[in-house]
Amino acid sequence: MSEKQKFKWHSWATPWILVFPTLIGLVIFRLIPIVSSFFLSFTKWNLITDPKFIGLKNFKELFSDPVFWKILGNTLKITAGYVTGGMIFGLLLALLVNNKLRGMNFFRAAIYMPVITSSVAVGIVWTRILGPKYGILDFFLKKIGITAPYWLQDPSLAIWTVTFVQVWKMSGYYMILFLAGLQAISKEVIEASVVDGATPTQRLFRVTIPMLAPTTFFVLTVAIMDAFKNFELIYAMTMGGPQNATNTLVYSVYLNAFSYNRVGYAESIAWVLMVVVGLLTVGNFFIKKYWAQPLE
Amino acid sequence: MKKLLTLTLVCLLAFSAFAQGASEAKTGEVTLEWWTWDTGMIEQNQSIIKEYEATHPGVKINNTVIATDGGAYKTQLSVLAQQKALPDVFMLSSGDLEEWASTGLCRNLDDLVASDPEIYKKFYESMFTSLKDVAKTDYLPGFPFAYVSCDMFYNKDAFDAAGLAYPNENWTWDDFLKAAKALTIDKNGDGEIDQWGYYGYGRYAEAQAWIFANGGVLTNDKTHKFEPNQNALDAIQFMSDLVNVYKVAPSPKDMSAIKYKTIFPNQICAMFVDGGWFADDFRKTIGDKFQWGVTRVPVGPHGAPKTTYGWPDSYVISPFTKHAKEAWEFTKYIAGEGIGLDQFMAGKMPAYKALVESDAFVDMTQQPYGDMQLFRDHASDTFVTSYTQGWSEWVGYGAAESMGLNGAVDSILNGETTIAQVLPSLKESIDKILARYY
């Protein structure tokens, strides 16, 4: 059978027909909302009336509002804490469970469990654990004579507490990613380093971690994106409080769009968020170019 | 090809738009769209519809129920409002009434009320007046079906154990404070309070109940600025003193591990101020665990008796409806004769007099027994509210509850700041919000 006969059903339109359903979804659910949100960021719109074009007023208000800068700072703090914590714990857990011991699958599943648990449920449970009075942690700390701080009520602590809970919830996911990376490392290389007399610490820092670079880059990218999607935990644990201490760009978009009916203003915050995420992504690819290349 | 596609699309849209009208014209039937937010009432709504359709041939009702969670109800309703395709009859939160009325999204019901001389014989006129006050209109923009008041719940067993007389509507803040002190008890002597005299969680239904009970005012209706009078500030100071000076109430942050609505049922506090709808909640959560009652919020030194913080729950008729008369008849039915007491949470006062005046309203078979009379008495009260446009934002409501006035009250009750310290920045931020609307 000639090549021509084999593909006689194939015309120039075939790929377009195959890709059409995806394309429709992409245009309706992604492209149109993105373009609309861009235009809406220059409008005043309360949902019940027609949007009114107001030029750059939303952005002017945003950048002159001290609360916005606080929220932006919170978002960056959470991102830094979450990405660092998530990657460190994810890697440590992956190293721990990367052993062929009996019952290891149970521990892997147990560590992964919070990832698939509802964020709202996680938030509620941790709020009960961390409560200053009647909280479980407070109960045990009192037994050993320690007075617990106000984990979620102290403005200087709340943001790190929420970050910690998010790291706790998601570390299992990064563990799985790192585990896949660890299991892809050639055994010969590890064995060669053992033969060469490398200590376990040297093996970890000079062989395993460098060879994990592509995985680490992938985890970094995913973790940064996850860090910006921390809406549910904040909603369940602090509602952005106390005094905006845990309010983030995503939470602020939600508040302005659905609580305050300021859709245009919410869109302007969303676009700032997009620029921040975009800059970090560009930074990531810069890192990839010079660092996260697989070892030859 | 392009023209053909466009033409097809236009035809499809036109067809779907006229399909319902054509069907109505053909059958002579009127179909009313009825939107509600109470997802627990789906079955009851269907039985209301069945009875209504049986007695009103030619009228069909479609009920859409969307939960208010995450703003779903309001968002979908808003989108329809923008497209001028609102349902014929829909529930609307009192907090949105002024903005919707000022945008022309609530049908003026004055002509329909005028054509119905029996209306105020069947329904409480005070609720209609209150609805106009909330909407700040000189016409009736909706039809109230219930009234929500804020009241004080108390643990009768705790009062009995302390040898105290139960609170009554003549109570002053001094009476309240004396009782709160006597009810704050370290039962096991471990240095920790096991039963607080009072618990206040600082949200609007509690904080503003105290403010209005002292003749407080929060915003100036003429200047549209946040201008709390001294009475309002005194009320907030009194709430703060309960926590930080008299130590008869825990701070909100100390109670954050417990859901606020479970604090009174778990007997962690003996008195609790919130919406009257908690009567329904407490019937379910407390059962016969202890005896409890409900009374008015104690009147402050500058407050007027029988002045109650509350708001109407109402239906609005769409200004775009083609069936205003049918919608009016149906609204009267679902606010009045078509519903029973089982369709109301205990503690909410129906607008329909026959229901409130029925023996079943003060249900002597379950708690709070005779105290349910309070909700009847509210019918003759002076109602006050703080609703303005942008209310959710400046008060700090729902997902914004840690912000705005609520956030500031939290900080004051937690002893982190004082009224004098927080007031200038609070005023500046609230005035900025109000300036966007007025």
Side-chain angles (χ1 to χ4, degrees):
Chain A
M1 197 185 281
S2 71
E3 279 298 302
K4 257 189 177 177
Q5 278 173 322
K6 220 191 272 178
F7 293 106
K8 71 177 179 189
W9 53 272
H10 185 275
S11 74
W12 67 270
T14 308
W16 289 105
I17 291 168
L18 294 172
V19 93
F20 188 69
T22 312
L23 214 57
I24 287 284
L26 203 66
V27 169
I28 293 177
F29 296 112
R30 299 278 165 149
L31 198 62
I32 293 177
I34 289 171
V35 173
S36 306
S37 86
F38 180 73
F39 286 111
L40 285 172
S41 69
F42 302 102
T43 65
K44 183 181 179 183
W45 189 30
N46 61 2
L47 279 176
I48 58 174
T49 53
D50 294 335
K52 192 179 149 196
F53 181 75
I54 53 166
L56 290 169
K57 264 189 183 171
N58 285 331
F59 290 96
K60 277 183 192 161
E61 184 185 340
L62 195 62
F63 294 130
S64 62
D65 184 0
V67 173
F68 164 74
W69 293 106
K70 185 178 175 61
I71 290 169
L72 181 63
N74 290 343
T75 308
L76 296 175
K77 274 184 197 171
I78 287 184
T79 305
Y82 174 74
V83 172
T84 312
M87 290 184 71
I88 290 174
F89 282 105
L91 179 60
L92 287 177
L93 291 169
L95 290 168
L96 271 176
V97 299
N98 188 27
N99 289 303
K100 283 185 180 160
L101 294 177
R102 207 178 166 146
M104 190 50 80
N105 282 341
F106 167 78
F107 289 105
R108 287 176 186 171
I111 294 167
Y112 193 73
M113 201 64 90
V115 179
I116 53 167
T117 307
S118 143
S119 295
V120 175
V122 166
I124 291 170
V125 169
W126 272 100
T127 306
R128 302 289 180 266
I129 292 172
L130 298 170
K133 278 189 182 160
Y134 309 100
I136 301 162
L137 183 64
D138 181 66
F139 174 80
F140 287 112
L141 287 177
K142 261 186 204 152
K143 294 262 177 213
I144 53 171
I146 296 174
T147 306
Y150 289 98
W151 300 105
L152 290 166
Q153 294 72 32
D154 180 339
S156 60
L157 258 184
I159 194 164
W160 301 116
T161 308
V162 171
T163 307
F164 164 78
V165 175
Q166 203 184 355
V167 167
W168 174 86
K169 185 184 181 313
M170 292 302 291
S171 289
Y173 177 56
Y174 306 126
M175 172 196 79
I176 294 291
L177 297 177
F178 275 121
L179 192 61
L182 284 173
Q183 291 180 350
I185 295 174
S186 155
K187 277 182 189 162
E188 285 80 5
V189 178
I190 303 287
E191 280 163 10
S193 68
V194 174
V195 171
D196 287 347
T199 63
T201 314
Q202 284 171 325
R203 280 207 304 275
L204 175 67
F205 286 104
R206 300 205 179 163
V207 180
T208 309
I209 291 180
M211 292 200 76
L212 266 182
T215 308
T216 309
F217 169 75
F218 179 69
V219 173
L220 177 70
T221 310
V222 173
I224 288 173
M225 286 192 282
D226 286 345
F228 285 96
K229 293 191 290 186
N230 52 8
F231 173 79
E232 295 99 329
L233 267 184
I234 289 173
Y235 184 81
M237 294 181 79
T238 60
M239 293 204 167
Q243 297 150 45
N244 282 308
T246 57
N247 196 358
T248 59
L249 289 175
V250 171
Y251 198 74
S252 193
V253 168
Y254 173 80
L255 280 182
N256 279 285
F258 300 110
S259 287
Y260 309 156
N261 280 4
R262 300 188 73 201
V263 179
Y265 191 69
E267 298 298 358
S268 67
I269 302 172
W271 273 89
V272 170
L273 176 66
M274 198 183 130
V275 168
V276 173
V277 175
L279 286 174
L280 286 170
T281 308
V282 169
N284 269 0
F285 281 96
F286 184 78
I287 292 169
K288 188 187 180 189
K289 197 172 169 186
Y290 292 100
W291 166 60
Q293 295 299 326
L295 293 179
E296 292 296 323
Chain B
M1 182 68 179
K2 210 174 174 183
K3 279 181 185 171
L4 186 70
L5 265 174
T6 315
L7 190 68
T8 314
L9 266 174
V10 169
C11 287
L12 272 172
L13 283 171
F15 178 75
S16 54
F18 290 108
Q20 189 178 340
S23 144
E24 282 184 1
K26 200 175 171 186
T27 59
E29 254 182 7
V30 167
T31 303
L32 296 178
E33 294 295 333
W34 173 36
W35 276 37
T36 55
W37 59 53
D38 195 340
T39 49
M41 299 292 283
I42 294 173
E43 279 177 29
Q44 285 99 321
N45 288 356
Q46 287 309 317
S47 84
I48 290 171
I49 290 170
K50 204 172 163 189
E51 282 172 30
Y52 189 78
E53 287 177 349
T55 52
H56 295 76
V59 180
K60 280 197 78 65
I61 312 291
N62 279 338
N63 179 218
T64 303
V65 185
I66 301 171
T68 51
D69 301 349
Y73 180 83
K74 190 178 162 185
T75 304
Q76 294 191 42
L77 200 63
S78 299
V79 171
L80 291 184
Q82 197 253 337
Q83 294 169 355
K84 297 185 171 42
L86 279 167
D88 302 278
V89 181
F90 56 94
M91 284 180 173
L92 186 68
S93 162
S94 283
D96 295 320
L97 208 52
E98 185 186 344
E99 187 175 15
W100 281 55
S102 67
T103 318
L105 294 170
C106 305
R107 191 190 190 280
N108 179 344
L109 303 184
D110 283 354
D111 58 329
L112 296 163
V113 171
S115 68
D116 207 329
E118 298 287 299
I119 197 88
Y120 293 134
K121 286 182 187 162
K122 292 179 182 168
F123 296 90
Y124 288 106
E125 191 173 355
S126 57
M127 292 196 200
F128 287 73
T129 310
S130 174
L131 191 71
K132 285 163 74 170
D133 288 345
V134 167
K136 298 186 178 68
T137 53
D138 54 6
Y139 64 89
L140 187 68
F143 196 113
F145 61 89
Y147 205 85
V148 184
S149 56
C150 294
D151 298 292
M152 187 173 81
F153 297 87
Y154 60 98
N155 182 330
K156 286 184 173 175
D157 288 0
F159 272 76
D160 291 343
L164 296 168
Y166 297 149
N168 59 56
E169 62 177 39
N170 299 317
W171 255 31
T172 62
W173 285 5
D174 285 339
D175 299 322
F176 169 82
L177 185 57
K178 272 180 211 156
K181 282 178 179 170
L183 290 163
T184 301
I185 303 166
D186 171 9
K187 289 179 179 171
N188 56 9
D190 66 350
E192 295 277 342
I193 300 297
D194 300 297
Q195 176 188 281
W196 296 92
Y198 176 70
Y199 169 64
Y201 77 123
R203 299 292 171 264
Y204 69 101
E206 186 244 347
Q208 294 185 29
W210 286 106
I211 289 169
F212 292 125
N214 194 39
V217 171
L218 289 171
T219 54
N220 185 324
D221 280 347
K222 286 178 186 145
T223 61
H224 299 296
K225 288 193 185 301
F226 180 65
E227 290 172 7
N229 63 1
Q230 193 55 47
N231 298 344
L233 300 179
D234 289 348
I236 297 171
Q237 188 60 54
F238 179 67
M239 290 167 62
S240 170
D241 290 348
L242 294 175
V243 178
N244 300 305
V245 177
Y246 305 118
K247 314 276 184 199
V248 295
S251 67
K253 68 180 179 184
D254 277 340
M255 304 306 280
S256 54
I258 309 176
K259 208 168 183 182
Y260 81 93
K261 56 163 49 172
T262 65
I263 289 171
F264 180 76
N266 283 319
Q267 303 183 71
I268 298 168
C269 70
M271 292 183 282
F272 176 74
V273 168
D274 208 299
W277 65 83
F278 268 95
D280 195 77
D281 200 70
F282 291 158
R283 274 182 180 172
K284 291 168 190 155
T285 53
I286 296 172
D288 292 327
K289 208 161 69 179
F290 64 87
Q291 296 297 303
W292 56 275
V294 58
T295 186
R296 289 173 189 280
V297 176
V299 183
H302 303 286
K306 295 197 170 186
T307 301
T308 302
Y309 173 40
W311 54 91
D313 277 347
S314 55
Y315 284 114
V316 167
I317 295 179
S318 165
F320 315 115
T321 183
K322 289 173 188 158
H323 312 294
K325 203 167 173 302
E326 288 84 356
W328 169 253
E329 290 302 323
F330 178 63
T331 306
K332 276 196 299 179
Y333 186 80
I334 53 177
E337 62 184 288
I339 50 171
L341 279 172
D342 58 332
Q343 264 116 357
F344 284 92
M345 293 174 89
K348 280 195 177 188
M349 188 175 63
Y352 192 53
K353 287 181 182 174
L355 285 180
V356 179
E357 287 161 6
S358 69
D359 290 341
F361 185 78
V362 179
D363 184 352
M364 294 307 282
T365 64
Q366 55 181 332
Q367 298 202 66
Y369 308 114
D371 280 2
M372 282 295 286
Q373 177 66 33
L374 170 71
F375 300 108
R376 264 185 192 157
D377 295 345
H378 279 321
S380 57
D381 285 0
T382 305
F383 297 121
V384 279
T385 75
S386 60
Y387 286 124
T388 65
Q389 294 188 53
W391 183 87
S392 300
E393 188 175 353
W394 72 259
V395 164
Y397 175 72
E401 70 167 34
S402 71
M403 294 156 203
L405 179 63
N406 280 340
V409 170
D410 272 351
S411 299
I412 294 164
L413 299 191
N414 285 331
E416 294 157 355
T417 187
T418 63
I419 297 173
Q421 284 168 339
V422 82
L423 196 58
S425 60
L426 184 66
K427 180 172 168 45
E428 190 187 344
S429 64
I430 293 179
D431 285 350
K432 211 167 113 185
I433 295 164
L434 291 171
R436 288 205 306 266
Y437 294 93
Y438 297 100

